[in-house]
């Protein structure tokens, strides 16, 4: 089974490359172009990992992160933050809000792929495990 | 007994020794002299000339006759130095700042540098000192007579020349004038004399203590080898230790007299105030001088008791001498004689110097200076004249003293003569103390008080002592002493009470009745408030000018060539001028006046300077303004208030500036972070896509083409971003816009519409041109830049309009001399909060609204800068959901009008310099 990765990013050129490299790495990639859409999509799609840009229209990445972490259904969802500002205060804020990883633009493709796929694969495995054990527990 | 030759030799030897001390002290190098005379102990010892032969001989006599009453004479000064030394300090401070030369000068300075006051005080001092000097002559003559016991010379001789007193007076006159008057110093300080006087104080203390110790331990208070029974000793002791005399009133009167005397006696003023070199020496004197007096006082009692027991019936005023002489200690008697001589000479020296200064400055010199006919007052060097005058004064003074001694010698004891002198100088006391503490005392008041006191004193106390001599020529005047005795009042107490009461009454009432002139008020404030930091400058009141040369010549005549040269040169040095002639400034005339005051007294100096200084004007307003303390205080606090208000204003400005800086700092951070973001975004895409292209072998042709196209776009975006950043910074520094074209803004707008029309149709936005066709308006502008602004506004309106039926309407409006070009869309609008940051660089909220594809996010910031430099502005009217209307407001004029040229000129002038 393919892990599902949601990319929340407003810059189409970056979406283009992220979409390409993650697909090639074996992920099912979905795109959100602004913060509000991202919150909706995360709840609906239930991806195995989220690549989240910080500076986005409507709602920024921090708000999306906060909203996601506030949803108990989404506990344990890996969220990889992307920032173009490279400020240390952004990293601290992201960690405090519960981001799983933090990457600065411009990023290296290999690094992004490795981080995202590792977290997404882990999440996929966890989901499958709990799906397998849950009926056993019921029965 | 000693031979007259021996006694005379001894006396001359002592005087020669004193002279040597004075002479060599003056020859000392300045710093040695300073360390000798500059010591507080020397200062205190010189003050001890208070103890004259009156206290040396007379105190014992007084104790034998009147019991403990003599203590009051020591108690008064003790109280003054203990408790009132602040008064002395005040006098010293004023005197040193005003270059005071004598008590007459001091008091006259207080009452507006009044010549009349100084004359009157000098007269009083002269009259009061005369019996005092007589007293010294009598003491020396009597003691000399006692020492030699020869019939050829006597103090009772009927001719002048046979009288010892005459020769004593002559010798003293020579001795004193030899050095006292020779030295003329700008501040009338006499180091050599002070050293000699201090030495004399030691001599008399040692002599007195020696005799005291002799009678206690050598003579056992007269019991040694004496057949007298102990009860007679007790009787003598009881007599000395009794509180007999005039009772409480007389004691009070004596206490007051001695207190007043130590402040008012010319010689005490001379040593305490004029010769003072350091104010703090007074601190030492305030306990050391009372200690000196206490020692003298202590030994007076045993000497009196012993004298009463051993020599009953003999003159008690001579006990100090006669007790050792007649009990086989004649060498000790010599010592006592020297002590008495020291007491007398020190008093005569100091009193003569003080009085000769007063007499020459206030009586003789003013007269000489008025005699133009003598040819003295214009060119002559007067320093020699001054010396001669002083020497003559000393001779006159001693002659007067001798005459008084000669005429009144039969009837009074030493103490009585001393008290008369005290009562005389006490008449100065009200004017002195009032002058120091009472602001309202005036010249007229002081003159009245002094005159009344002086006349009553003459009548009550001097007149009776001369009655027997035939000098009291005015018949029919009742004998005041008889009056007081008839009223059962001690004559001294009565005389003192009435003379001083009426003196004070006249002083106070006439001070209130008269009006002080400007100088009086100035000096009054100066004296009363001398310890306040503010120093009143006379120059603030007077506008006086005089030629520097005239001032120089004048000064030279009074203080001599060398001193004048030095004084003027140091004044010039302070002005930074080389040479001896200073630049005339507002302080020069007062400076010269002070220099002269140090020599001839404040009043005469004032007259002399006035004779050559012109244009003297006194502004009463200025006087009142300066002198009114309340006003000063109010002004001062007002000034403080103003200051603090100013400070607050400055603090506010600083706070504001700080806020602005903080805001700018935040904006700068924001800008940098935004630039970073805007740069990183295309960079990220470029890097990532490059990696894909290099690392992926199996890319399809389509994919390759697509990625390369994105990369090209992102490269352009980067370039555009950099251009925009540069442009903003150029525009912000005032460059980049040239107002050289006369353009029709509406035509520029039409061109801009043509540029964006294609985009609009692609985006499906309806673009409506509602510009009026016939307005012939012109603006001074830069047509390319203006078009750039319009294109930017139109593009934004087209791009961000995501409504179902998007439209953009362009219209125009006239407002006074301005033209407004509106770009109205029906898009999402901008929230109120976001509008505030709309035109800042990379406004984040703007970014939120306009989002993506906008290039750099710098468009509006650039447009705003451009329009501002065209002396216009960009306005925005919008609310969320209601669309937005951006308007460019430009100053315009009618095409072809006369205003065109003016406007062009005006606008060119208002352009920022590049």
């Amino acid at each position: 089974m393919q892990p599902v990765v949601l990319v929340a990013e407003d810059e189409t050129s970056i979406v283009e490359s992220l979409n390409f490299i993650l697909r090639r790495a074996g992920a099912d990639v979905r795109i959100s172009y602004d913060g509000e859409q991202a919150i909706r999509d995360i709840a609906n799609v239930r991806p195995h990992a989220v690549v989240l840009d910080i500076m986005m229209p409507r709602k920024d990445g921090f708000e999306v992160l906060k909203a996601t972490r506030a949803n108990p259904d989404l506990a344990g969802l890996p969220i990889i933050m992307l920032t173009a500002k490279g400020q240390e205060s952004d990293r601290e804020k992201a960690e405090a809000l519960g981001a799983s990883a933090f990457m600065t633009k411009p990023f290296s493709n290999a690094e992004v792929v490795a981080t995202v796929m590792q977290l997404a694969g882990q999440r996929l495995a966890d989901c499958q495990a709990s799906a397998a054990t849950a009926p056993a527990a019921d029965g | 007994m000693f031979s007259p030759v021996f006694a005379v030799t001894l006396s001359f030897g002592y005087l020669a020794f004193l002279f040597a001390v004075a002479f060599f002290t003056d020859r000392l190098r300045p710093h040695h002299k300073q360390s000798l005379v500059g010591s507080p102990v020397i200062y205190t010892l010189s003050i001890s000339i208070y103890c004259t032969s009156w206290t040396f001989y007379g105190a014992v006599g007084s104790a034998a006759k009147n019991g403990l009453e003599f203590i009051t004479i020591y108690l008064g000064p003790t109280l003054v130095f203990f408790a009132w030394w602040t008064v002395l300090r005040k006098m010293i401070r004023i005197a040193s700042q005003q270059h005071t030369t004598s008590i007459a000068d001091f008091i006259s300075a207080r009452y507006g540098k009044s010549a009349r006051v100084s004359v009157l005080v000098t007269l009083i001092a002269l009259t009061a000192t005369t019996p005092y000097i007589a007293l010294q002559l009598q003491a020396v003559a009597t003691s000399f007579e006692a020492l030699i016991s020869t019939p050829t010379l006597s103090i009772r001789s009927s001719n002048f020349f046979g009288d010892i007193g005459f020769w004593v007076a002559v010798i003293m006159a020579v001795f004193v004038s030899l050095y006292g008057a020779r030295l003329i110093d700008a501040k009338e300080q006499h180091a050599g004399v002070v050293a000699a006087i201090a030495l004399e104080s030691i001599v008399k203390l040692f002599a007195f203590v020696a005799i005291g110790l002799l009678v206690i331990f050598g003579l056992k208070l007269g019991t040694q080898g004496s057949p007298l029974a102990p009860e007679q000793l007790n009787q003598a002791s009881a007599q000395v230790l009794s509180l007999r005399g005039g009772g409480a009133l007389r004691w009070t009167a004596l206490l007051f007299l001695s207190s007043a005397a130590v402040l008012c006696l010319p010689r005490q003023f001379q040593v305490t105030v004029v010769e003072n070199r350091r104010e703090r020496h007074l601190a030492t004197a305030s306990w050391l001088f009372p200690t000196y007096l206490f020692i003298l006082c202590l030994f007076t009692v045993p000497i009196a008791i012993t004298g009463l027991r051993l020599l009953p019936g003999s003159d008690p005023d001579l006990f100090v001498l006669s007790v050792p002489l007649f009990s086989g200690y004649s060498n000790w008697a010599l010592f006592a004689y020297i002590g008495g001589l020291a007491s007398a000479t020190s008093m005569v020296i100091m009193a003569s110097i003080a009085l000769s200064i007063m007499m020459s400055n206030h009586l003789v010199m003013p007269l000489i200076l008025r005699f133009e006919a003598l040819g003295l007052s214009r060119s002559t060097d007067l320093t020699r004249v001054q010396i001669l005058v002083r020497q003559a004064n000393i001779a006159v003074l001693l002659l007067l003293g001798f005459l008084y001694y000669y005429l009144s010698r039969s009837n009074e004891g030493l103490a009585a003569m001393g008290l008369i002198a005290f009562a005389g100088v006490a008449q100065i006391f009200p004017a002195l103390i009032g002058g120091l503490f009472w602001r309202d005392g005036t010249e007229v008041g002081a003159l009245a008080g002094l005159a009344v006191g002086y006349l009553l004193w003459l009548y009550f106390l001097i007149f009776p002592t001369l009655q027997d001599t035939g000098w009291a020529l005015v018949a029919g005047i009742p004998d005041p002493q008889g009056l007081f005795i008839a009223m059962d009042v001690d004559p001294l107490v009565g005389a003192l009470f009435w003379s001083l009461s009426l003196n004070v009454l006249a002083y106070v009432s006439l001070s209130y009745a008269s009006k002080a002139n400007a100088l009086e008020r100035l000096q009054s404030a100066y004296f009363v408030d001398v310890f306040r930091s503010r120093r009143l400058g006379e120059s603030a009141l007077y506008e006086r000018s005089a030629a520097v040369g005239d001032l120089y010549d004048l000064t030279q005549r009074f203080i001599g060539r060398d001193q004048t040269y030095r004084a003027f040169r140091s004044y010039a040095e302070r002005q930074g001028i080389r040479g001896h002639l200073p630049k005339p400034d507002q302080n020069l005339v007062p400076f010269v006046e002070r220099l002269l005051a140090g020599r001839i007294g404040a009043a005469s100096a004032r007259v002399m300077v006035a004779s050559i200084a012109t244009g003297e004007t006194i502004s009463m307003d200025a006087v009142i303004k300066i002198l009114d303390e309340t006003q000063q205080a109010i002004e001062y606090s007002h000034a403080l208030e103003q200051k603090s208000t100013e400070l607050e204003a400055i603090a506010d400005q600083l706070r504001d500036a700080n806020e602005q800086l903080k805001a700018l700092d935040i904006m700068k951070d924001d800008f940098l972070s935004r630039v970073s973001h805007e740069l990183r975004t295309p960079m990220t895409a470029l890097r990532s896509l490059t990696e894909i292209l290099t690392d992926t072998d199996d890319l399809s042709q389509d994919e390759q083409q697509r990625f390369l196209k994105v990369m090209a776009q992102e490269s352009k975006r980067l370039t555009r971003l950099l251009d925009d950043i540069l442009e903003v910074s150029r525009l912000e520094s005032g460059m980049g816009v040239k107002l050289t074209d006369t353009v029709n803004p509406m035509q520029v707008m039409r061109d801009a519409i043509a540029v964006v029309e294609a985009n609009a149709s692609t985006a499906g936005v309806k673009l409506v041109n509602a510009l009026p066709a016939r307005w012939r308006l012109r603006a001074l502008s830069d047509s390319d830049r203006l078009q750039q602004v319009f294109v930017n506004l139109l593009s934004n309106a087209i791009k961000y309009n995501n409504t179902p039926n998007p439209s953009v309407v362009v219209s125009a409006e006239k407002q006074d001399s301005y033209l407004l070009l509106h770009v109205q869309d029906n898009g999402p609008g901008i929230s109120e909060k976001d509008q505030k940051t709309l035109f800042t660089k990379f406004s984040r909220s703007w970014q939120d609204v306009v989002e993506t594809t906008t290039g750099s996010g710098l468009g509006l910031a650039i447009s705003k800068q451009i329009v501002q430099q065209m002396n216009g502005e960009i306005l925005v009217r919008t609310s969320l959901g209601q669309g937005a209307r951006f308007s460019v407001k430009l100053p315009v004029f009618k095409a072809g009008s006369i205003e065109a040229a003016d406007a062009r000129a005006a606008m060119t002038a208002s352009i920022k310099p590049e």
Side-chain angles (χ1 to χ4, degrees):
Chain A
M1 191 186 171
Q2 273 187 315
V4 178
V5 175
L6 181 84
V7 172
E9 168 65 78
D10 59 326
E11 292 286 344
T12 49
S13 56
I14 296 175
V15 169
E16 189 90 39
S17 73
L18 283 175
N19 186 22
F20 180 83
I21 54 176
L22 290 173
R23 267 182 212 287
R24 264 189 84 88
D28 175 2
V29 178
R30 317 287 171 87
I31 313 288
S32 306
Y33 287 99
D34 67 51
E36 280 175 9
Q37 195 195 340
I39 292 173
R40 281 197 305 270
D41 289 349
I42 292 168
N44 296 334
V45 174
R46 301 268 173 154
H48 296 108
V50 179
V51 177
L52 184 57
D53 183 30
I54 289 177
M55 203 175 269
M56 283 189 302
R58 316 251 190 262
K59 281 207 162 66
D60 69 21
F62 293 123
E63 285 171 284
V64 176
L65 177 59
K66 221 186 289 178
T68 308
R69 288 294 178 237
N71 186 348
D73 291 348
L74 299 171
L77 170 64
I79 298 179
I80 300 98
M81 303 294 287
L82 277 183
T83 178
K85 291 206 291 184
Q87 279 174 356
E88 200 52 33
S89 60
D90 280 356
R91 177 188 287 273
E92 283 164 14
K93 192 174 173 187
E95 278 168 6
L97 288 173
S100 314
F102 189 93
M103 312 196 87
T104 309
K105 293 176 186 174
F107 47 78
S108 111
N109 289 351
E111 199 180 333
V112 169
V113 168
T115 308
V116 172
M117 291 315 287
Q118 195 247 320
L119 288 168
Q122 185 81 42
R123 174 72 173 169
L124 176 64
D126 289 350
C127 286
Q128 284 168 341
S130 64
T133 52
D138 283 347
Chain B
M1 294 299 139
F2 300 94
S3 78
V5 176
F6 175 74
V8 167
T9 311
L10 182 72
S11 308
F12 271 109
Y14 175 71
L15 290 180
F17 170 61
L18 265 194
F19 187 81
V21 169
F23 184 82
F24 286 110
T25 304
D26 279 329
R27 285 285 181 284
L28 283 176
R29 286 159 192 275
H31 67 277
H32 287 135
K33 188 152 74 180
Q34 186 56 36
S35 63
L36 176 67
V37 184
S39 107
V41 175
I42 298 284
Y43 175 67
T44 307
L45 286 172
S46 73
I47 291 174
S48 304
I49 54 155
Y50 176 78
C51 306
T52 66
S53 55
W54 168 17
T55 40
F56 194 85
Y57 293 122
V60 174
S62 173
K65 284 182 274 190
N66 298 321
L68 289 177
E69 187 186 283
F70 78 95
I71 288 176
T72 54
I73 301 303
Y74 298 105
L75 209 52
T78 300
L79 290 178
V80 167
F81 273 77
F82 257 176
W84 256 34
W85 69 277
T86 50
V87 177
L88 289 166
R89 190 168 64 116
K90 192 169 188 180
M91 288 163 70
I92 288 170
R93 176 73 61 89
I94 296 167
S96 96
Q97 285 176 4
Q98 300 250 325
H99 286 226
T100 300
T101 58
S102 67
I103 182 135
D105 194 25
F106 188 83
I107 295 176
S108 113
R110 159 63 180 83
Y111 297 102
K113 305 188 179 178
S114 158
R116 286 177 293 183
V117 169
S118 63
V119 167
L120 193 49
V121 173
T122 303
L123 272 181
I124 294 174
L126 178 62
T127 323
T129 305
T130 299
Y132 214 150
I133 287 182
L135 185 162
Q136 311 303 322
L137 297 178
Q138 177 169 337
V140 174
T142 313
S143 61
F144 186 78
E145 188 188 46
L147 204 61
I148 57 168
S149 281
T150 160
T152 51
L153 281 171
S154 159
I155 60 164
R156 300 277 179 265
S157 171
S158 54
N159 82 45
F160 265 28
F161 306 105
D163 195 306
I164 303 170
F166 177 75
W167 294 108
V168 173
V170 168
I171 291 164
M172 282 195 175
V174 171
F175 179 63
V176 174
S177 61
L178 257 180
Y179 61 110
R182 271 185 57 241
L183 311 159
I184 291 194
D185 173 86
K187 276 183 79 188
E188 295 292 3
Q189 291 189 332
H190 310 88
V193 178
V194 169
I197 296 301
L199 181 71
E200 297 216 83
S201 287
I202 295 172
V203 169
K204 67 194 178 201
L205 182 69
F206 269 61
F208 198 78
V209 169
I211 303 303
L213 293 174
L214 175 72
V215 298
I216 295 169
F217 299 106
L219 303 174
K220 310 277 185 215
L221 295 177
T223 53
Q224 183 84 346
S226 160
L228 295 175
E231 58 266 25
Q232 277 165 302
L233 171 66
N234 293 340
Q235 195 189 334
S237 308
Q239 196 176 336
V240 170
L241 296 173
S242 78
L243 296 173
R244 284 175 301 130
L249 268 183
R250 187 173 162 89
W251 276 57
T252 310
L254 293 181
L255 200 59
F256 168 77
L257 272 184
S258 58
S259 307
V262 84
L263 289 166
C264 299
L265 277 170
R267 67 169 198 282
Q268 289 304 134
F269 189 89
Q270 181 74 29
V271 292
T272 313
V273 179
V274 180
E275 306 278 357
N276 175 280
R277 275 148 210 270
R278 293 250 192 295
E279 232 172 70
R280 58 183 159 80
H281 288 175
L282 198 59
T284 307
S286 72
W287 61 268
L288 192 56
F289 177 54
T291 308
Y292 187 98
L293 295 177
F294 178 73
I295 294 170
L296 286 185
C297 192
L298 201 61
F299 288 100
T300 301
V301 175
I303 298 173
I305 292 173
T306 312
L308 278 175
R309 299 206 56 219
L310 292 181
L311 305 165
S314 84
D315 182 0
D317 278 347
L318 282 177
F319 277 168
V320 177
L321 194 63
S322 53
V323 165
L325 204 56
F326 292 104
S327 50
Y329 292 91
S330 41
N331 290 336
W332 291 69
L334 279 181
F335 202 19
Y337 169 75
I338 293 295
L341 188 64
S343 312
T345 49
S346 60
M347 182 275 166
V348 172
I349 289 169
M350 223 56 229
S352 305
I353 289 174
L355 269 166
S356 75
I357 290 169
M358 285 160 70
M359 285 160 74
S360 79
N361 284 351
H362 305 305
L363 299 180
V364 184
M365 289 306 286
L367 283 177
I368 287 180
L369 291 171
R370 278 184 199 188
F371 277 114
E372 297 275 347
L374 288 177
L376 286 169
S377 56
R378 266 298 160 195
S379 56
T380 324
D381 178 357
L382 291 174
T383 49
R384 281 206 54 75
V385 177
Q386 274 182 293
I387 292 171
L388 285 174
V389 166
R390 288 196 184 176
Q391 286 173 334
N393 284 338
I394 289 169
V396 167
L397 199 61
L398 280 156
L399 181 67
L400 283 175
F402 169 72
L403 282 175
Y404 187 88
Y405 147 84
Y406 188 74
L407 296 171
S408 68
R409 61 192 162 168
S410 54
N411 45 16
E412 295 289 346
L414 294 178
M417 284 165 88
L419 286 175
I420 289 171
F422 274 20
V425 293
Q427 303 305 327
I428 301 172
F429 188 76
L432 173 69
I433 297 302
L436 286 173
F437 296 99
W438 186 43
R439 225 175 279 272
D440 297 332
T442 67
E443 180 195 2
V444 173
L447 282 171
L450 288 167
V452 166
Y454 180 48
L455 293 173
L456 288 174
W457 169 71
L458 283 177
Y459 171 60
F460 287 141
L461 292 172
I462 294 291
F463 177 65
T465 61
L466 300 174
Q467 260 184 336
D468 301 342
T469 67
W471 274 60
L473 296 172
V474 191
I477 295 181
D479 175 10
Q481 302 249 330
L483 279 179
F484 290 130
I485 290 165
M487 289 159 62
D488 197 22
V489 174
D490 183 307
L492 180 76
V493 175
L496 194 65
F497 176 78
W498 286 110
S499 62
L500 272 171
S501 303
L502 294 174
N503 178 335
V504 171
L505 185 69
Y507 172 56
V508 172
S509 57
L510 279 168
S511 285
Y512 276 128
S514 61
K515 201 162 181 275
N517 68 31
L519 189 56
E520 279 179 73
R521 294 183 60 171
L522 176 74
Q523 291 292 91
S524 156
Y526 183 83
F527 272 57
V528 175
D529 301 325
V530 67
F531 287 121
R532 312 233 176 132
S533 55
R534 182 172 54 88
R535 278 194 66 174
L536 290 169
E538 242 178 87
S539 49
L541 294 179
Y542 296 97
E543 291 288 333
R544 288 183 297 176
S545 61
V548 178
D550 287 352
L551 289 171
Y552 191 91
D553 291 345
L554 180 73
T555 313
Q556 191 167 263
R557 288 170 54 216
F558 287 96
I559 72 173
R561 195 176 301 173
D562 293 351
Q563 283 201 35
T564 305
Y565 179 76
R566 278 199 297 274
F568 272 70
R569 204 179 59 173
S570 71
Y571 191 93
E573 244 165 49
R574 280 198 298 278
Q575 292 180 331
I577 295 172
R578 290 170 67 90
H580 67 284
L581 285 182
K583 213 166 46 197
D585 62 16
Q586 56 169 1
N587 295 319
L588 183 62
V589 172
F591 165 75
V592 168
E593 195 179 308
R594 270 201 308 280
L595 268 182
L596 293 182
R599 178 60 44 77
I600 60 177
S604 299
R606 178 149 193 76
V607 172
M608 290 320 298
V609 169
S611 74
I612 61 162
T614 55
E616 177 164 330
T617 54
I618 305 167
S619 150
M620 205 57 208
D621 289 347
V623 176
I624 289 165
K625 196 173 172 196
I626 290 177
L627 296 188
D628 195 328
E629 287 297 315
T630 332
Q631 181 70 18
Q632 281 285 334
I634 290 168
E635 277 177 11
Y636 186 60
S637 77
H638 184 68
L640 275 183
E641 257 171 47
Q642 234 171 3
K643 275 271 182 292
S644 74
T645 315
E646 278 169 26
L647 280 177
E648 268 170 37
I650 290 170
D652 281 348
Q653 286 173 10
L654 281 175
R655 245 194 308 279
D656 289 351
N658 198 31
E659 290 301 320
Q660 281 180 13
L661 281 176
K662 270 190 202 163
L664 281 174
D665 197 42
I666 290 169
M667 265 168 75
K668 188 200 73 185
D669 281 354
D670 201 44
F671 176 75
L672 283 177
S673 107
R674 201 59 212 203
V675 166
S676 165
H677 179 266
E678 295 301 323
L679 284 171
R680 277 169 196 263
T681 302
M683 293 289 289
T684 306
L686 284 172
R687 177 176 173 185
S688 183
L689 291 171
T690 312
E691 280 181 15
I692 292 171
L693 285 172
T694 18
D695 296 347
T696 319
D697 303 328
D698 53 346
L699 271 182
S700 71
Q701 195 70 25
D702 273 1
E703 277 173 330
Q704 280 191 19
Q705 285 302 318
R706 205 174 74 229
F707 289 157
L708 284 170
K709 197 177 158 199
V710 171
M711 287 169 74
Q713 270 173 16
E714 291 302 307
S715 302
K716 279 187 201 154
R717 182 176 165 188
L718 261 182
T719 316
R720 200 164 59 237
L721 176 67
L722 291 174
D723 286 347
D724 284 357
I725 290 172
L726 284 176
E727 184 163 7
V728 168
S729 105
R730 235 161 31 137
L731 288 168
E732 280 189 342
S733 64
M735 291 185 287
V737 178
K738 294 197 181 70
L739 300 186
T740 49
D741 311 337
T742 306
V743 301
N744 179 353
M746 286 187 295
Q747 186 54 49
V748 178
M749 180 59 101
R750 285 186 197 107
D751 296 344
I753 290 170
V755 171
V756 298
E757 244 165 1
N759 284 347
S761 64
T762 312
V765 175
K766 189 178 166 199
L767 192 55
V768 181
N769 180 348
L771 294 168
R774 294 185 167 275
W775 288 357
R776 298 179 60 232
L777 296 171
R778 298 289 182 270
L780 212 50
S781 187
D782 177 331
S783 63
D784 291 347
R785 287 297 192 176
L786 193 56
Q787 187 178 333
Q788 180 187 347
V789 172
F790 292 154
V791 169
N792 177 248
L793 293 180
L794 289 168
S795 307
N796 285 347
I798 292 164
K799 274 183 209 158
Y800 311 128
N801 197 331
N802 50 5
T803 46
N805 221 345
S807 73
V808 173
V809 180
V810 179
S811 60
E813 182 187 346
K814 278 193 279 197
Q815 229 174 54
D816 301 327
S817 58
Y818 287 92
L819 172 71
L820 282 93
L821 289 160
H822 305 300
V823 177
Q824 169 82 58
D825 67 48
N826 61 348
I830 304 158
S831 75
E832 222 170 292
K833 178 176 140 274
D834 294 341
Q835 287 171 38
K836 286 178 192 161
T837 50
L838 202 54
F839 296 100
T840 59
K841 289 159 285 190
F842 304 118
S843 151
R844 196 183 286 206
S845 39
W846 177 239
Q847 170 76 11
D848 283 355
V849 177
V850 300
E851 192 234 335
T852 61
T853 60
T854 167
S856 64
L858 286 167
L860 272 181
I862 291 170
S863 296
K864 184 189 171 201
Q865 286 289 335
I866 291 172
V867 175
Q868 267 180 357
Q869 297 205 18
M870 294 172 176
N871 299 305
E873 56 184 323
I874 297 185
L875 307 167
V876 63
R877 199 179 69 184
T878 175
S879 56
L880 215 51
Q882 300 291 308
R885 191 185 78 176
F886 285 85
S887 309
V888 175
K889 186 179 179 186
L890 286 173
V892 288
F893 47 89
K894 283 197 179 101
S897 72
I898 303 167
E899 295 164 52
D902 292 348
R904 192 187 181 94
M907 281 199 197
T908 312
S910 67
I911 297 168
K912 284 188 209 164
E914 292 185 8

